[in-house]
Amino acid sequence: MKTTTIKPLLKSFLLLISISLPFYVLFRLLAITPTSTTSPLTPQNPLTDLRMRPGFSSYESYIKRQLDKTLNPKLREIWTTRDWERKVLVFGQFFQELKMHHLLSNDSKALCIGARVGQEVAALRGIGVVDSVGIDLVPYPPLVIKGDFHSQPFDNETFDFEFSNVFDHALFPVKFVAEIERTLKPGGVCVLHVAISRRSDKYSANDLFSLKPLIEMFKVSEVVHVRKVDGFGLDTEVVFRKKNVQQY
Ligand SMILES: *[C@@H]1O[C@H](CO)[C@@H](O)[C@H](O)[C@H]1NC(C)=O
Ligand SMILES: *[C@@H]1O[C@H](CO)[C@@H](O)[C@H](O)[C@H]1NC(C)=O
């Protein structure tokens, strides 16, 4: 019969598979190991679509550069006078749209990251999100309190909503994102305005060439939406929602 000649062949084939499978699995594991270990000495994301700008020899020199802009009396004068109403109005429109999409409500506890003089905080309070505050290296009471976004001065799971348009100012983008995820409540929403197709200002510490590295940095959140915006030199809005289940 035909089957009697096939059976021994099949048997030896199965034997071969069962012997080689453990080796295959072992080699796969060995091959994966090097890529899954990231050096603690490189806090910057190595992905090429996120490029760190050269010129910051230390964290101190980075802070000094940021303070130069934040404390510039001419800029501060413009921010608090000529710029004020227009920016509060435009931020108010952005936030109203987020409200309509149920990503923000009057009851949200909200944080604006890198808020300088706090136009976005004024906009939030103006549309009824009264429990909102900003952080920046230089405080501007009562809207903005002192805080470095690389190490937010808040407990875990504090906010329902966080907004920022200063991702490009982060010297340690991974830390910037990790701090947002740490201080957001489960189910909390993070809205970022970033520049993808154009370059941002001379105070930027990084340049983003696609959303990929940014999305990969969010470990416990999912993307809610991405859309084009015209946000004071920033062209893309990305909205994340922190997952409800603790996964870390
Ligand atoms: C939110 O606050 C605004 C401004 O105070 C108010 O007009 C609006 O009715 C409030 N919305 C809700 C749903 O309470
Ligand atoms: C806060 O969150 C961080 C990271 O998500 C975690 O490592 C840390 O243990 C948490 N701290 C507390 C007090 O729960």
Side-chain angles (χ1 to χ4, degrees), residues 107-230:
D107 297 329
S108 299
K109 187 172 175 63
L111 174 67
C112 297
I113 298 162
R116 301 224 170 85
V117 294
Q119 292 135 337
E120 49 273 70
V121 182
L124 280 170
R125 293 184 185 181
I127 63 164
V129 187
V130 289
D131 192 2
S132 46
V133 75
I135 53 167
D136 210 313
L137 293 171
V138 179
Y140 189 74
L143 299 176
V144 179
I145 65 173
K146 187 175 159 67
D148 182 348
F149 49 57
H150 294 114
S151 173
Q152 287 190 20
F154 305 108
D155 288 340
N156 290 1
E157 304 185 0
T158 298
F159 297 100
D160 301 292
F161 178 90
E162 299 191 23
F163 170 79
S164 186
N165 59 6
V166 300
F167 175 79
D168 61 296
H169 286 69
L171 184 62
F172 305 118
V174 171
K175 202 73 184 113
F176 179 98
V177 170
E179 281 294 90
I180 291 173
E181 290 199 310
R182 181 183 67 79
T183 56
L184 269 182
K185 294 176 189 172
V189 167
C190 167
V191 177
L192 298 182
H193 284 182
V194 296
I196 296 292
S197 42
R198 37 181 153 168
R199 294 302 110 232
S200 25
D201 67 26
K202 63 174 175 148
Y203 296 92
S204 299
N206 69 67
D207 288 297
L208 205 52
F209 293 85
S210 83
L211 286 179
K212 196 168 173 275
L214 181 64
I215 290 170
E216 281 175 0
M217 275 184 267
F218 278 82
K219 301 295 182 203
V220 292
S221 308
E222 51 206 3
V223 176
V224 177
H225 79 226
V226 174
R227 62 172 189 142
K228 289 286 150 202
V229 289
D230 184 7

Side-chain angles (χ1 to χ4, degrees), residues 2 4 6 14 18 23 27 29 53 64 67 83 89 93 114 156 159 166 189 209 223 235 246:
K2 252 190 172 174
T4 51
I6 288 173
L14 286 175
S18 59
F23 286 100
F27 284 126
L29 285 176
R53 291 195 182 176
K64 189 185 169 300
L67 286 177
D83 252 14
L89 190 76
Q93 286 162 356
N156 290 1
F159 297 100
V166 300
V189 167
F209 293 85
V223 176
D235 52 35
Q246 289 284 330

Side-chain angles (χ1 to χ4, degrees), residues 36-160:
S36 64
T37 54
T38 48
S39 166
L41 295 174
T42 51
Q44 293 90 352
N45 196 305
L47 287 164
T48 53
D49 278 355
L50 175 62
R51 294 195 205 140
M52 299 311 298
R53 291 195 182 176
F56 296 110
S57 50
S58 66
Y59 181 67
E60 285 67 34
S61 72
Y62 158 81
I63 293 288
K64 189 185 169 300
R65 182 84 172 273
Q66 297 304 319
L67 286 177
D68 280 348
K69 179 171 184 182
T70 305
L71 287 173
N72 182 316
K74 255 197 203 140
L75 281 176
R76 272 190 112 70
E77 165 76 15
I78 293 171
W79 291 339
T80 51
T81 56
R82 205 175 73 205
D83 252 14
W84 185 266
E85 283 205 18
R86 181 177 64 100
K87 288 219 170 168
V88 171
L89 190 76
V90 173
F91 280 128
Q93 286 162 356
F94 283 133
F95 295 140
Q96 283 287 12
E97 284 174 40
L98 294 169
K99 259 186 165 180
M100 282 177 356
H101 288 92
H102 307 288
L103 297 164
L104 174 69
S105 77
N106 286 2
D107 297 329
S108 299
K109 187 172 175 63
L111 174 67
C112 297
I113 298 162
R116 301 224 170 85
V117 294
Q119 292 135 337
E120 49 273 70
V121 182
L124 280 170
R125 293 184 185 181
I127 63 164
V129 187
V130 289
D131 192 2
S132 46
V133 75
I135 53 167
D136 210 313
L137 293 171
V138 179
Y140 189 74
L143 299 176
V144 179
I145 65 173
K146 187 175 159 67
D148 182 348
F149 49 57
H150 294 114
S151 173
Q152 287 190 20
F154 305 108
D155 288 340
N156 290 1
E157 304 185 0
T158 298
F159 297 100
D160 301 292

